Every structure is written in structure tokens, then in C-alpha cells.
Amino acid sequence: MSDQDDLVFKALADASRRELLDVLRVKNGLTLGELCEGHEMSRQAVTKHLALLEEANLIVTQKQGREKFHYLNPVPIHGIYMRWIGRFEAHRMDALYNLKQALNTKTKTKTKTKTRKDKK
Amino acid sequence: MSDQDDLVFKALADASRRELLDVLRVKNGLTLGELCEGHEMSRQAVTKHLALLEEANLIVTQKQGREKFHYLNPVPIHGIYMRWIGRFEAHRMDALYNLKQALNTKTKTKTKTKTRKDKK
DNA sequence: TGCATATGCAACCATTTGGTTACATAATTG
DNA sequence: CAATTATGTAACCAAATGGTTGCATATGCA
């Protein structure tokens, strides 16, 4: 998992940034002022969030005169799905079954597992 | 998007926590000591990460004697995919095309868009 | 060409985060 | 039953984060 993926996960960690992506998913190509609508935070705070989204390649921007347009780029989100999130789908049903089995088995037969000393 | 989803996104923002989930995806039901292997950070740091994963319901734990077993719960990851990430898949191809069109159109015909004053 | 609008940049601040060290408690083992 | 092992808890610290306020620059409009 690359540094770029790390940027994507970090960018998505904040609810405000996900909301900005939600807005762009519904209506792409908005200016900073338009994106500020519906948000209580200051324009400079929105600008900071957009910078992180841009750094993660989740949006691309286009300056025209004094206006800056922001466009959604869904490719990195697809990327983390393909490279990481999707791997948890493959055995989602399996995992639930195995979890139940494991819990039942361990409750009945206490298993011994090797452990490691603290790293101090 | 619920507070629980927010916890999931925040939990996944850290590379160390994603690595812990990777380990459990390959081999479920590990103890703290086993999970500490392969990580340079202290046992207490790993414990902190596991607490956040548990708070986000990404893992469930089972205490047996002095040992604690950790099991992967892929349901919340599936949940954020169904409720949020997947929405970006639906028009991933569309979005790329529309982005290109939008950039081309705006380059040729400068459009005026209403903006809002700063919220001070 | 002055005014209005859109955006950029910087400094600041409180909170959160990610890690460490130290000590404590509980369970297991020889 | 003492020693060992596994885990829990707390305090501490530096860095990162998420927001604000203030001022500056660039562009568009009347």
C-alpha cells in the first residue's frame, strides 16, 4: 500500500472532507465559494480541506481568472477499494462464520499460543 | 453517514491499524503478543490501536484467562463501501468523461458562477 | 479606474493523535 | 507458591490536525 493510498485514507478520515466529496459527486466543477455554502466553517478552513483532497488526488482543480473550479476524481477511491477494501469482501461471510466457530472452539478448549515479551 | 461510520474512517486513516487488520485477515484470532510481532512500536502502542479498531467494531475480542484473542469483523468495512465508497464507483467512468468535457467547455467559454462572501 | 469579488498565505491556538516509559494486576507454570 | 508471562492503566511528550483571524494579491465589473 503506497504513500498515495495513505494520503487517500487520511483524507477520508475527516467528515467535512467526505461531505465536500459528496457535494462534488452530486454536482461537479464547483468553485470555492459554492463549496463553502452549506458549511459552517470559514472559507480558509474549507480551503485547507480542499488542499488535502487535492494532495490525495481525490479532486483536480482548474483556475479560470479569479475563480477556481474543483472536480471529483473517483479513481483513487476505486484504487483503495481494489487494493485493500475489496479484500475484506471476499471472505466477509466466511469471516463471520469462522469467527463464530473460533469463539465456540476456544471457549471449549483453551488453546495455548506463543507470545512475545514486551519491547522495552 | 453515522458516527459509527466516522469511527471506521478514522480507524482506517492510520497505516499501522490497517496493517493490523491485514494480519488478522490472513490469520484470525491472534493474541496481543502475536499482533506485536512484526511491529516496531511498543506493545502499549499496539494496544491503543486495537482499542480504536474495537471501538469502530472492526475487530471483536475474546478474553480467555490472561490471553485476549482478536477477531476481524469485516462488516463495518462493507458498510462504508455500501453507504459511501460504492457511490463513487457508479459513475467512475462517467466522472472521468464529464471531467474532461467540463474542463474543455470551461476553457472555451468562460462561465460565470455565483459565489458567496466569506463567512467571517 | 475604483470598487467588488474570489482566492491565497501566514500566524495563531486548542485539541487530538501516536508513540513512549513505568508500574499494576491477573493468570499460568514449574 | 514464587517466578514468569500476558495484559491493563496512567502519565507524559512531540507532532499533527482542524479551525480561526487578518492581511495580501489577482481578476472582473460598472
Side-chain angles (χ1 to χ4, degrees), chain A:
Chain A
M1 191 166 283
S2 66
D3 290 340
Q4 191 60 30
D5 288 340
D6 198 46
L7 287 173
V8 172
F9 276 106
K10 278 180 160 57
L12 299 182
D14 185 79
S16 297
R17 290 194 288 276
R18 295 198 301 273
E19 280 165 24
L20 289 169
L21 292 177
D22 279 336
V23 171
L24 289 176
R25 192 185 67 239
V26 171
K27 187 165 187 269
N28 219 357
L30 297 181
T31 63
L32 173 57
E34 289 166 330
L35 286 166
C36 288
E37 292 174 15
H39 289 83
E40 292 304 310
M41 75 183 81
S42 69
R43 173 183 58 81
Q44 291 83 350
V46 174
T47 295
K48 276 193 170 187
H49 285 306
L50 291 170
L52 290 176
L53 291 174
E54 189 166 9
E55 186 185 12
N57 288 329
L58 289 162
I59 62 171
V60 296
T61 59
Q62 172 104 335
K63 200 73 178 296
Q64 283 191 14
R66 66 187 182 187
E67 290 179 325
K68 195 174 191 180
F69 296 92
H70 303 79
Y71 299 91
L72 183 65
N73 177 15
V75 172
I77 291 184
H78 178 75
I80 63 170
Y81 172 76
M82 292 303 295
R83 284 190 289 280
W84 198 78
I85 291 173
R87 291 180 183 177
F88 293 85
E89 298 289 302
H91 61 113
R92 182 166 59 88
M93 288 298 106
D94 286 351
L96 285 174
Y97 177 79
N98 289 341
L99 187 151
K100 182 175 291 185
Q101 290 297 100
L103 290 178
N104 285 342
T105 299
K106 279 191 162 65
T107 300
K108 286 161 186 166
T109 70
K110 281 180 178 174
T111 55
K112 267 185 152 169
T113 57
K114 280 179 182 170
T115 60
R116 223 182 109 153
K117 280 172 181 161
D118 282 354
K119 291 194 291 293
K120 293 280 187 185

Side-chain angles (χ1 to χ4, degrees), chain B residues 14 17 41-42 44-45 48-49 65-66 115-118:
Chain B
D14 185 78
R17 291 195 287 275
M41 77 183 81
S42 69
Q44 291 83 352
K48 276 192 171 186
H49 284 306
R66 68 185 179 186
T115 59
R116 222 182 110 157
K117 279 171 178 160
D118 282 354

